[in-house]
Amino acid sequence: MVYGLIKAILTPILRLTFRVRVNGTENIPSSGGLLVAANHQAFCDSLFMPLVVPRRVTFVAKAEYFESWKTRWFFRAVGQIPMERSGGAASQKALGEAHQVLAGGGCIGIYPEGTRPPDERLHKGRTGVARLALAAECPVVPAAIAGTRAVQPIGARMLRPFKTVEITFGEPIDLTSRYRGRLEDPLVLRQATDEIMWEI
């Protein structure tokens, strides 16, 4: 309920304040477990993405966002999952929660790069996105976000209005048909992740 309320409030504000362009929403399945994998340019990516995806998006967000009261309230209110980027058991806990969402037919948003890069280039993806897709046997929709770094440059607290944000969704990627049963093969995870990053 909180997610829907926040989206209903933010959507008209963001639409009026920014030029939001969207391509390929027909590539987003209307039901069933789904991963939306996107590049990460700014904190506000997590505001614009739910705005244009017709389904509820649960993000796997870095745990640091839950440490500051300035962002903690938002991420908790909309049910986001904190991810410890150090790896190990902490990361597995977050992936386990995300898997439950996918198994229940939900939509997970994830930034395979793991963090915002220092420039606008797309950097190497971490294999958690492929592991999650294969474990849940769900499709991955690649998404390219452009313009949010201009809206919110690194270090900026406030969003700069009247900028253009463009989000493009590609066709769903079916990893399961090719890699089923090879979840523990690190070479498969690396290859599958690289495929996703290429499509992004």
Side-chain angles (χ1 to χ4, degrees), residues 83-87 91 110-115 123-131 189-190 193-194 196-197:
M83 165 68 85
E84 291 286 352
R85 295 178 293 170
S86 56
S91 296
I110 191 168
Y111 304 116
E113 292 166 286
T115 188
H123 289 247
K124 187 176 182 179
R126 301 188 180 191
T127 58
V129 60
R131 180 179 295 278
L189 294 178
R190 181 72 265 157
T193 301
D194 289 345
I196 293 169
M197 301 308 291

Side-chain angles (χ1 to χ4, degrees), residues 71-194:
T71 51
R72 182 192 311 124
W73 72 270
F74 172 76
F75 282 93
R76 286 186 174 171
V78 295
Q80 309 307 295
I81 300 170
M83 165 68 85
E84 291 286 352
R85 295 178 293 170
S86 56
S91 296
Q92 287 303 315
K93 180 178 183 296
L95 290 176
E97 291 183 34
H99 183 274
Q100 290 179 358
V101 172
L102 294 171
C107 177
I108 288 286
I110 191 168
Y111 304 116
E113 292 166 286
T115 188
R116 288 169 291 174
D119 51 51
E120 295 189 20
R121 294 179 301 165
L122 185 66
H123 289 247
K124 187 176 182 179
R126 301 188 180 191
T127 58
V129 60
R131 180 179 295 278
L132 193 52
L134 289 172
E137 297 190 351
C138 69
V140 180
V141 169
I145 302 174
T148 50
R149 189 175 290 260
V151 170
Q152 188 181 26
I154 294 176
R157 296 183 179 180
M158 302 298 291
L159 305 186
R160 298 179 178 180
F162 313 120
K163 303 288 186 182
T164 298
V165 173
E166 186 167 7
I167 303 177
T168 301
F169 298 97
E171 295 183 3
I173 303 168
D174 178 15
L175 298 177
T176 305
S177 62
R178 287 175 288 145
Y179 300 124
R180 180 181 279 112
R182 302 179 67 185
L183 179 60
E184 301 305 322
D185 187 335
L187 293 179
V188 164
L189 294 178
R190 181 72 265 157
Q191 179 172 325
T193 301
D194 289 345

